[in-house]
Amino acid sequence: MKESSISIKFLGAAGTVTGSKHLLKTKHTQVLVDCGLYQGLKKLREKNREPFPVQIASINAVVITHAHLDHCGYLPVLVKNGYKGRILMTAPTKELVELILRDSAKIQEEEAFQANKEGYSKHSPAIPLYTESDVDKVIELIETHQDRERVRISEDITVEFIKNGHILGSTSLEFHIDGRKIIFSGDLGRGNDDLLAAPEVPEGAEFLVLESTYGDRIHPKEDVLDLLESVILNTWERGGTTIIPSFAVGRAQEILYLINELKDLKRIPAIPVYLDSPMGTSATEIFLRYSGWHKLSNKKIYNLDRHVKFVKDIRETQRIIKDEKRKIVIAASGMITGGRVLNYISQLGWDPLNTILLVGYQGEGTRGRSLKEGAKELKIRGKYVQIGAEIQTIDSLSAHADQKGMIDWVKAMNQIPEKIILVHGEPTAQNVFRVKLQDELGVEVLVPELLDEIKLQ
Ligand SMILES: [Zn+2]
């Protein structure tokens, strides 16, 4: 076998679930796999403003697995700091990345403006991490590729995108380097999603970089429609509003789909539903353009918009909050780390008539995690907010596979990887998952720390 000099340096999502950035290095080439933003704990968020740990000019290409902020949200900073190379992703991912980065820039500009106005930022003046004009520069560098297309990155590296059922456009990545293969799972989908097909299984590889968000958990077998119905109905019957913190594109569409099903089946009344996102854009158009990337018929997609009002302007947000009518509100961010959902929770979260429904993974240090663990008070924009609302969780609505889902995915490969490297998970989940993988598959499992570099030989 050829003497290889392949290594991976972990620049984010090592021992935590945000900030995904993995630098794949060979003798000739450096490829950054994902370019995500840190979210959650303050000490993590501060890393978004630290100097980049490797020379940006030495990166030959960036490849993005999917459009979640913790995988693409750092791109504008990279470009602002001088990156001028290729950025590769699938076409639906590009459309979502554009929406999401603009949304993120707008929120950061709004937050900085508000912090300066109210004087709660420790930085004076508060400056957004990036603006929409930085996002424009990112969009110019993006090139899109089909799934299963073998794309040449350099003389020694090619990459293939393989659908993985996490959000629209999401993929695992299979790198071919000098006759050796390395797979990055990306965030793996659940397998029984209402909108997306189960993750496709790659042929296999010598090395696998595997996410581990739910490495220590099995999703409960529960009927999501029943659970959603009972949360919405209980809140409605006592005269309250249901607030669902959710990423505006992807998870939001699955929730809208389920709410429509409940309305069509007359299991809930015609409650007004608002989707609040500064972009104010319906992601359903993107679903329509990429019918090969999801399971819904066009009719079902049109239906997604049928009962929902899109909220764009922050003044409209205030109007909806003040309106005493019962309603359902879906607003980002999903872990309550920022965005419009903060407006709803700071003004409606005190009221025991209301419900806050958590539907995705809640990372450590996020307000979502605090609520899940029973916090009765949250600090939002420098002020303490009392929480009297009922807190509910539907874990099986998460976009991530559970422990069994991930192990089954690896087992289905023709070639079981000899080395598995765990990223994108918190230490407790990673420890449990490492032992389980070693026992079930008899392979070497490594859990890198931030800035570790693992040689693959
Ligand atoms: Zn994700």
Side-chain angles (χ1 to χ4, degrees), residues 66 68 70-71 166-167 187 400 424:
H66 68 289
H68 276 151
D70 56 327
H71 294 259
H166 173 62
I167 61 167
D187 287 359
H400 290 267
H424 202 286

Side-chain angles (χ1 to χ4, degrees), residues 23-25 28-32 52-61 82-83:
L23 191 67
L24 178 59
K25 296 160 76 174
H28 309 288
T29 314
Q30 297 201 24
V31 179
L32 186 64
F52 199 66
V54 299
Q55 252 199 332
I56 289 177
S58 65
I59 300 171
N60 303 84
Y83 181 73

Side-chain angles (χ1 to χ4, degrees), residues 17 20 34 65-71 166-167 170 186-188 211 213 247 399-400 424:
V17 296
S20 278
D34 281 340
T65 59
H66 68 289
H68 276 151
L69 263 190
D70 56 327
H71 294 259
H166 173 62
I167 61 167
S170 73
D187 287 359
L188 266 191
E211 73 128 321
T213 315
F247 192 63
H400 290 267
H424 202 286

